[in-house]
Each structure stands twice: as structure tokens, then as C-alpha cells.
Amino acid sequence: MSRFIVKRSTVAAPGLAVLVALSALGLTQAAQAAPAQPVVLATIPVGDLDLSRPDDARVLKARIEAAREAVCDARARTEGLDRWSAKACRIDIRDEVESKLSQRQARALRGVGG
């Protein structure tokens, strides 16, 4: 698979994406008016990387970090997260992305300190 979609409890095709359900964003009225579908907050391309190469594994690690920072910084601004909540956001996103990695991808990231 050249890319992954990250969802809670499923893996699908085209890219690693970080998702948050509408209700988690406090949009309960919108969630009641329409079927709740996760909002893609970031996509992490992986199809161009050969994770058996340490340089490419470092690129993936940097992409994950950049997506995590972008999502959590945006949430901190829009939702007024305090420092601890922003840190929790970063941990949650790291955990979600890690849960969607294949064993080979996770091993490659651990090999470069990820």
C-alpha cells in the first residue's frame, strides 16, 4: 500500500490522515443534522518513501511531526487549548498515527528514533 487513511479502528487506502469526529470538535448540532463523518485534519504522504532506507524513515518521521504540530497548533488557536491540552493533542495524534502504521513502518521509525 503506498498510502494510508487513518480512522479510528480502520485502515483504508490513499494516505495517512489524522481524523477527528465532528462531535469531538463540539459541533454537536451539525453532527445531529447530518451523519457524523470524521474531518480529515492532515494527510501524511508515504507512497514516495522506501522505509527500508533510514533517510526515508527520517522523512516520514518529520512529516508525522509536522502534521502533528500543524493540527495541534490550529486546535490551540481555534479552541483556545491551554499548554497541557495542546500537549495531550500531540500525544493523541502520535498514538493514532502509530496505531495505523504497519509493523514494518513502525520498525523503520523506531530505527531512526521515532
Side-chain angles (χ1 to χ4, degrees):
M1 224 182 238
S2 64
R3 295 170 56 122
F4 298 90
I5 297 274
V6 174
K7 290 185 184 179
R8 299 267 180 214
S9 77
T10 60
V11 176
L16 216 50
V18 179
L19 307 175
V20 174
L22 292 175
S23 59
L25 293 174
L27 302 175
T28 54
Q29 287 181 330
Q32 292 172 358
Q37 293 188 2
V39 176
V40 176
L41 300 175
T43 301
I44 304 167
V46 296
D48 60 330
L49 301 175
D50 175 359
L51 297 179
S52 66
R53 297 176 43 203
D55 288 344
D56 282 1
R58 280 190 274 284
V59 169
L60 177 58
K61 181 181 173 186
R63 288 178 183 177
I64 292 169
E65 179 65 24
R68 185 173 73 168
E69 292 300 313
V71 168
C72 293
D73 288 350
R75 285 192 62 209
R77 283 191 308 276
T78 60
E79 298 173 31
L81 299 180
D82 62 25
R83 189 178 85 193
W84 295 108
S85 296
K87 184 168 180 67
C89 174
R90 287 173 177 83
I91 292 168
D92 288 346
I93 290 186
R94 181 200 64 210
D95 291 348
E96 183 172 343
V97 169
E98 286 177 358
S99 75
K100 304 309 176 197
L101 296 173
S102 69
Q103 288 181 352
R104 185 177 66 89
Q105 291 168 328
R107 223 178 1 259
L109 284 178
R110 281 192 302 272
V112 295

